[in-house]
Amino acid sequence: MKIRSAFTVLALAASLVARVPATRPILGVDPIHIEASASPCRDFYGYANGAFDRKPIPGEYASYGVNQEIDERNFAVLKGILETAARKGGPKGSLTRRVGDFYAAGMDEARIEKAGVRPLAPLFAAIQALKTPTDLMAVLGRLHATGIPAGFGFGIQVDDKDSSAMIASFTQGGLGLPERDYYLRPGQDADGIRQAYEGHVVRIFALAGDSADSAKAQARTVMTLETKLAEASRTLVALRDPEANYHKVARADLPALASLDWNAYFAAVALPPGESHVLVGQPEFYKALAGLMAAEPMAAWQVYLRWHALRSAAPHLGAAFVDENFAFYGKTLSGATELRPRWKRILAAADRALGEDLGQLFVKTAFSPAAKARALEMVHFHKEAMRARILAADWMGQATKAQAIRKLDTMRSKVGYPDRWRDYRSLAVSRRSHALNVQAAAAFDFKRRMAKLGRPADRDEWHMTPQTNNAYYDPSMNEMCFPAGILQPPFFDEKADDAANYGALASTIGHELTHGFDDQGRQYDWQGNLKAWWTSEDAQRFEARAHHIVKQYDAFEVLPGLRINGKLTLGENIADIGGLRISFEAFKLATQGKDLKPIGGFTPEQRFFIAFAQGWRTNQRPEALRLQVASDVHAPVRWRVLGPVADFPEFRKAFGCEPPPAGQSPTAIW
Ligand SMILES: [Zn+2]
């Protein structure tokens, strides 16, 4: 799955517009953000957004920009829905009752304080009772089935090489810091974050009732064990190679792969006996894990599991836990200075727990049939533009082109909201305990995913909720998805002109479409199977072009001494660069024969590019930038504008810019 930006996920986002009614229209091209003294040719991001750049970032945000403005408006709609449902309720088992009870329990701070860590007592007891590596595997299964990540990753997914089938999948995991390099990277900065993390673990154990000395010793144990898991983990760049991370293993062969009690785990997660194979993404991680389970005392694993149970639950417990969790994950790691208001945190939890219940109520007010029709028309023109690009690609042979066109023709688009809604009736929600509601929802979701095994892949399912301000391309399904939550002003306005809509959605429709043909997406065929469908000459020519994009982004310096990782962000950068070009051509196709006039002193083409750049306007704290560069496959926003316009003749033409120096390698693939 390819998300548009890590900073647009509802769970992370959140402020101002909800409190302040909009006093001026929301425009896709807004002159108020432009820095007229800047040169559009030298720094197009600074030109389009320079005035916005001077705005302070509200305390509760690590980053604040156009996505957060949209989020705030979406949140305001959702808040109204949740408050009404909590006040009015509804018949037992009804959608509004479920949503209302969930929200009411989350807002009941007095009850949450009184409960303390009691909601975790059964899990603590299971952890306390474990004596052997077999018990450990069983407890890991129990934690995973309750939505608590620890030890390793487990999930149900489409089989990459047989997209009609679902399969259980094991991946590396088990870390409390964002990814392996946080444990292993040398330097003062990294040392500081590791010390802060260990201090955070100490304080969480102390809040759970442990003595100061014991909390300190336990935090050391956690750090030591997680560092060993990190050492056994692949880098983020290595994880981007789908072929290298695909290993289908017969169930009977698992003990030979890693000496773990797999059956104890399978029993705990109720894996159906008919499942003959599983995927193991990183086999060497599991070999190392088996070694650690044999070598480390069970007491150390107990400490580790208790930490992860507390870590997952902390945001849903009393104020001291919430504050401590925010102090590390919010302040230290991302630079936010203020905790988000409670209603936004509970809204995010409700979105995770009952996302499509909320979605049903959201789309009634926030997405019209006319908006859906206009968005579908835009998708149509984007596909036509992509068809032209494929046919015109002078580096690609006829055989590969025919397959690429087949992939384009069969690519599906989901717009707005699902046709069939998820049924949450078997999920029990009550006003008694927020933490238990969160656990029950996670368990419900785990069971729902397990039930997919043995059935054909569900092509109608959505991987994002309708209210999500984000989008994705799913290579296994060969489909794009654009939730109603992102088809909102200024990204999309059914009343806006085409230049504004096509420009702003270049980073969404053009971008997701290009993912089908980026360095990862291109490895999946029209049916969604990971399979070599390119001739080897064409594949080599693709790789050579991709190499230039790696070098282009490797050279971008985000903060003094901090450069973008061109390999880590390659797929997103290909999608950003191609997305802008495809959207520009889609804009031309959509407006063919129309007499477009300048608006506000800008030509239609200039408006297209300004809408694109303003669709990325975001101010980020240095901590958030560092976190993003270290752990995110997306380049920071400024370079998501500068990279794509760098070598685009239509852009230069629109603003009268000089051509790039002769001999410079072309960076666009699409
Ligand atoms: Zn993407």
Side-chain angles (χ1 to χ4, degrees):
M1 192 177 305
K2 309 295 168 51
I3 64 174
R4 181 176 187 273
S5 159
F7 295 96
T8 59
V9 186
L10 191 64
L12 291 175
S15 156
L16 297 177
V17 184
R19 276 176 258 143
V20 186
T23 49
R24 46 194 301 279
I26 302 155
L27 303 172
V29 176
D30 198 335
I32 203 168
H33 305 309
I34 291 178
E35 178 62 68
S37 63
S39 155
C41 301
R42 269 204 305 280
D43 175 8
F44 190 56
Y45 182 91
Y47 167 78
N49 298 315
F52 183 84
D53 274 358
R54 290 192 288 273
K55 283 192 162 187
I57 301 173
E60 68 184 87
Y61 288 99
S63 304
Y64 190 84
V66 65
N67 276 306
Q68 289 68 35
E69 291 171 8
I70 294 176
D71 286 339
E72 285 298 338
R73 292 195 297 275
N74 290 348
F75 290 168
V77 171
L78 293 164
K79 186 180 189 225
I81 290 169
L82 288 165
E83 286 178 347
T84 306
R87 203 170 50 243
K88 291 192 179 159
K92 209 169 182 318
S94 69
L95 185 162
T96 48
R97 171 79 172 264
R98 237 180 349 260
V99 164
D101 284 352
F102 189 96
Y103 188 68
M107 295 304 287
D108 190 347
E109 289 180 82
R111 201 189 267 262
I112 291 168
E113 284 303 333
K114 221 174 128 206
V117 292
R118 266 204 315 279
L120 292 172
L123 291 175
F124 286 165
I127 293 167
Q128 195 57 43
L130 75 84
K131 292 189 173 61
T132 65
T134 291
D135 299 342
L136 176 53
M137 285 298 274
V139 174
L140 279 166
R142 177 165 176 184
L143 292 177
H144 292 173
T146 326
I148 298 169
F152 53 85
F154 174 77
I156 307 302
Q157 66 164 79
V158 173
D159 184 342
D160 290 272
K161 296 198 176 179
D162 175 7
S163 68
S164 65
M166 303 302 294
I167 190 164
S169 161
F170 289 87
T171 50
Q172 66 185 41
L175 306 180
L177 283 167
E179 65 101 23
R180 58 145 0 232
D181 284 356
Y182 276 82
Y183 295 86
L184 309 177
R185 200 171 44 222
Q188 228 177 353
D189 233 43
D191 281 339
I193 288 181
R194 285 189 285 268
Q195 274 163 22
Y197 177 60
E198 201 169 322
H200 167 62
V201 181
V202 170
R203 287 187 291 277
I204 289 279
F205 276 130
L207 287 174
D210 301 345
S211 72
D213 283 350
S214 159
K216 226 172 145 181
Q218 290 183 84
R220 196 85 279 278
T221 301
V222 167
M223 200 60 190
T224 306
L225 202 46
E226 289 187 3
T227 303
K228 289 178 181 170
L229 291 173
E231 282 163 354
S233 298
R234 294 188 185 178
T235 64
L236 290 178
V237 169
L239 290 175
R240 289 198 67 251
D241 181 342
E243 196 63 63
N245 288 279
Y246 182 92
H247 304 91
K248 196 169 182 170
V249 184
R251 202 162 158 165
D253 295 338
L254 283 169
L257 183 147
S259 171
L260 296 165
D261 195 335
W262 297 87
N263 285 331
Y265 183 81
F266 291 147
V269 298
L271 188 82
E275 290 301 306
S276 61
H277 289 77
V278 301
L279 298 180
V280 181
Q282 300 77 33
E284 74 284 2
F285 178 85
Y286 283 84
K287 285 188 208 303
L289 182 68
L292 285 174
M293 283 197 190
E296 300 289 327
M298 277 304 117
W301 284 102
Q302 287 172 315
V303 167
Y304 166 85
L305 293 183
R306 188 156 163 272
W307 154 242
H308 278 274
L310 283 162
R311 174 180 177 270
S312 288
H316 313 294
L317 298 175
F321 282 97
V322 170
D323 291 343
E324 179 53 40
N325 181 71
F326 171 74
F328 181 71
Y329 288 103
K331 278 189 192 163
T332 303
L333 277 187
S334 357
T337 57
E338 279 171 43
L339 183 65
R340 281 185 296 168
R342 180 157 205 97
W343 70 265
K344 286 185 188 167
R345 289 180 274 128
I346 302 308
L347 193 162
D351 182 64
R352 282 192 295 274
L354 295 164
E356 291 198 12
D357 267 358
L358 261 185
Q360 283 193 53
L361 303 170
F362 176 80
V363 297
K364 275 185 195 153
T365 52
F367 197 63
S368 71
K372 183 163 180 164
R374 176 98 184 259
L376 279 168
E377 184 196 77
M378 290 182 69
V379 171
H380 163 77
F381 282 119
H382 275 82
K383 288 177 83 169
E384 287 311 302
M386 185 70 192
R387 180 189 312 280
R389 301 233 31 127
I390 292 169
L391 293 174
D394 55 8
W395 52 273
M396 198 184 211
Q398 288 308 322
T400 311
K401 275 186 188 176
Q403 291 300 312
I405 293 290
R406 188 172 196 192
K407 179 165 181 173
L408 179 69
D409 283 340
T410 49
M411 190 186 288
R412 300 199 323 156
S413 313
K414 293 173 171 170
V415 171
Y417 50 89
D419 295 328
R420 182 168 44 81
W421 295 99
R422 191 166 296 165
D423 181 355
Y424 295 92
R425 276 175 302 182
S426 63
L427 167 57
V429 173
S430 87
R431 295 196 176 211
R432 283 192 300 277
S433 167
H434 175 58
L436 290 182
N437 283 346
V438 170
Q439 270 184 34
F444 167 87
D445 199 55
F446 188 84
K447 257 174 96 173
R448 183 183 70 79
R449 290 172 193 272
M450 292 300 288
K452 292 165 179 281
L453 290 169
R455 295 195 192 156
D458 179 0
R459 300 201 157 258
D460 295 328
E461 191 188 3
W462 282 49
H463 302 304
M464 283 179 184
T465 65
Q467 57 275 23
T468 302
N469 171 15
N470 211 333
Y472 65 85
Y473 170 76
D474 179 349
S476 294
M477 290 283 159
N478 189 25
E479 69 178 19
M480 301 183 278
C481 181
F482 307 106
I486 196 171
L487 296 172
Q488 301 291 333
F491 289 159
F492 174 79
D493 184 345
E494 52 185 288
K495 292 182 228 64
D497 66 313
D498 282 322
N501 277 344
Y502 278 85
L505 283 181
S507 49
T508 301
I509 303 181
H511 175 97
E512 300 305 338
L513 177 55
T514 311
H515 270 317
F517 304 91
D518 73 14
D519 65 314
Q520 284 180 323
R522 74 165 192 87
Q523 300 185 51
Y524 294 77
D525 71 4
W526 68 281
Q527 287 178 300
N529 289 318
L530 181 59
K531 191 173 152 185
W533 54 274
W534 293 54
T535 65
S536 59
E537 298 77 39
D538 288 340
Q540 272 170 25
R541 283 193 282 260
F542 181 99
E543 294 302 332
R545 284 171 170 254
H547 179 68
H548 289 303
I549 298 182
V550 172
K551 285 205 303 197
Q552 180 194 5
Y553 282 77
D554 272 343
F556 287 140
E557 194 173 26
V558 171
L559 292 170
L562 180 69
R563 285 178 196 277
I564 292 176
N565 181 339
K567 275 194 179 140
L568 177 62
T569 54
L570 177 60
E572 296 302 327
N573 299 334
I574 291 173
D576 283 344
I577 295 169
L580 183 65
R581 282 157 171 78
I582 288 153
S583 290
F584 186 80
E585 283 175 28
F587 164 56
K588 289 282 152 185
L589 288 173
T591 56
Q592 223 166 24
K594 287 187 191 168
D595 181 24
L596 302 182
K597 297 266 188 315
I599 301 177
F602 295 113
T603 66
E605 289 76 16
Q606 288 175 334
R607 286 174 56 74
F608 170 92
F609 288 110
I610 294 171
F612 164 69
Q614 292 193 338
W616 281 122
R617 64 175 184 275
T618 306
N619 295 326
Q620 281 181 279
R621 297 180 193 274
E623 294 88 343
L625 275 170
R626 288 184 192 285
L627 175 66
Q628 184 175 0
V629 170
S631 62
D632 196 320
V633 294
H634 303 82
V637 287
R638 175 178 291 272
W639 294 274
R640 297 191 76 173
V641 173
L642 296 182
V645 302
D647 169 41
F648 190 12
E650 297 290 352
F651 168 76
R652 284 199 300 277
K653 208 166 105 191
F655 288 93
C657 306
E658 297 285 318
Q664 192 167 306
S665 307
T667 51
I669 296 179
W670 300 110

